Amino acid sequence: TFDGLVTVDLNALELIIDGLGSLTAPGVDAPLTGENVVAQVMELWARPAESDVALGTGDLGAWWEQRKEFIPRLTQAALEKIQSGEVNYLALAAAALTALNRRDIQIVVGEPTMAALLAGQGWDGALQPQPGSDYLAVVDMNMGYNKVDAVIDRSLAYTVTWPNGPDQPAQAMLALTYHHPLDVVDEGCDPSPRYGNDYQDMIERCYFNYLRVYLAEGSALIDATGLQPESLNSQRGERGTQVFSGYFVLPPNNSNTVTFTYELPADISQEAYSLLIQRQSGTNALPISLSVGGATHAEILDEGHLHWS
């Protein structure tokens, strides 16, 4: 039983620190800003503040116990500044609103009235398929013991046609391209637990991605490429969706394109076509290219949702 759950990603942390103007935390030499806070977090993870231990210096157990001590440290510093009154509260509220709209902050509560309000704003992290509408929610999960998601570039291209006429079911082709830009070599692509010498060492590794794509209920898979064949699966998903899933490994300095070709449910018509795309929380802005029945649209999606018709 719980009263509520709030998730906050590093994109939100940048926005909130910007909203505060800057932040001074015990044991951190330089003032924290939205521009430098992620780099500082990486450093505090490897070398905890006001501590004699550090990653790569021998005492792995002592470091492991302190590696996330920066979380309460930064949280306390932020709360103290907010309570001090030395804050532009309008700027802070604007930063929080931006983070909520980008799904960088997500909130789930048990109280029904507040839960309905959060869901109506799209702030609770739920899948939001709409009856009679097309739907896409791409969810990546790194199965490797590393931090490679920090550098992975993604793009999405989506094409919908009605090859048998506007009164027949549409056919969709989704292409998801992943690029690992680092010019390094990760010998053996080992996903097992190992910390290395610093945070950057954990970034410079292979990407072990378990991919799920949530679609309109009744979508029927025709073909897929770019995944390990034995990992491909199609099944019913949460909240009345269909989910296609699979697995691939991407070494550094390489790209991989995953495609799904499928038939859309019959109630998604060309005349009244609409699409909702939900961008995964924690990811960077997503380049999107759409082509639907001859109409096209392209944008860099940094909000949590895209509604298009």
Side-chain angles (χ1 to χ4, degrees), residues 173-256:
M173 202 277 277
L174 172 65
L176 302 167
T177 298
Y178 299 80
H179 178 58
H180 192 325
L182 299 188
D183 188 11
V184 296
V185 176
D186 183 11
E187 294 287 351
C189 276
D190 179 9
S192 62
R194 52 194 171 98
Y195 283 104
N197 294 317
D198 55 25
Y199 201 99
Q200 186 64 29
D201 190 5
M202 298 193 73
I203 293 176
E204 296 176 349
R205 299 184 188 173
C206 297
Y207 185 48
F208 303 86
N209 191 33
Y210 172 54
L211 164 66
R212 288 163 289 169
V213 180
Y214 289 86
L215 309 160
E217 184 176 17
S219 298
L221 182 63
I222 297 172
D223 189 30
T225 65
L227 299 167
Q228 294 184 2
E230 68 277 8
S231 72
L232 179 63
N233 188 39
S234 173
Q235 64 186 49
R236 288 195 61 183
E238 299 92 323
R239 296 181 67 89
T241 59
Q242 188 72 22
V243 58
F244 301 157
S245 60
Y247 178 78
F248 67 87
V249 179
L250 178 63
N253 202 23
N254 277 271
S255 296
N256 183 48

Side-chain angles (χ1 to χ4, degrees), residues 90-113:
L90 289 178
L92 182 60
L97 181 61
T98 298
L100 285 162
N101 287 334
R102 291 182 180 180
R103 305 183 76 206
D104 296 325
I105 296 176
Q106 299 177 113
I107 306 172
V108 178
V109 296
E111 197 279 315
T113 302

Side-chain angles (χ1 to χ4, degrees), residues 7 43 69-70 81 88 99 112 203 261 280 283 302:
T7 67
E43 179 63 25
E69 187 270 346
F70 66 87
K81 181 158 187 178
N88 182 334
I203 293 176
T261 303
Q280 184 176 4
T283 57
D302 61 358

Side-chain angles (χ1 to χ4, degrees), residues 134 158 160 162 264 268-275 292 308-309:
D134 201 0
Y158 189 53
V160 180
W162 282 260
L264 290 173
I268 298 178
S269 67
Q270 184 171 3
E271 182 179 1
Y273 181 86
S274 65
L275 170 67
V292 179
W308 185 78
S309 60

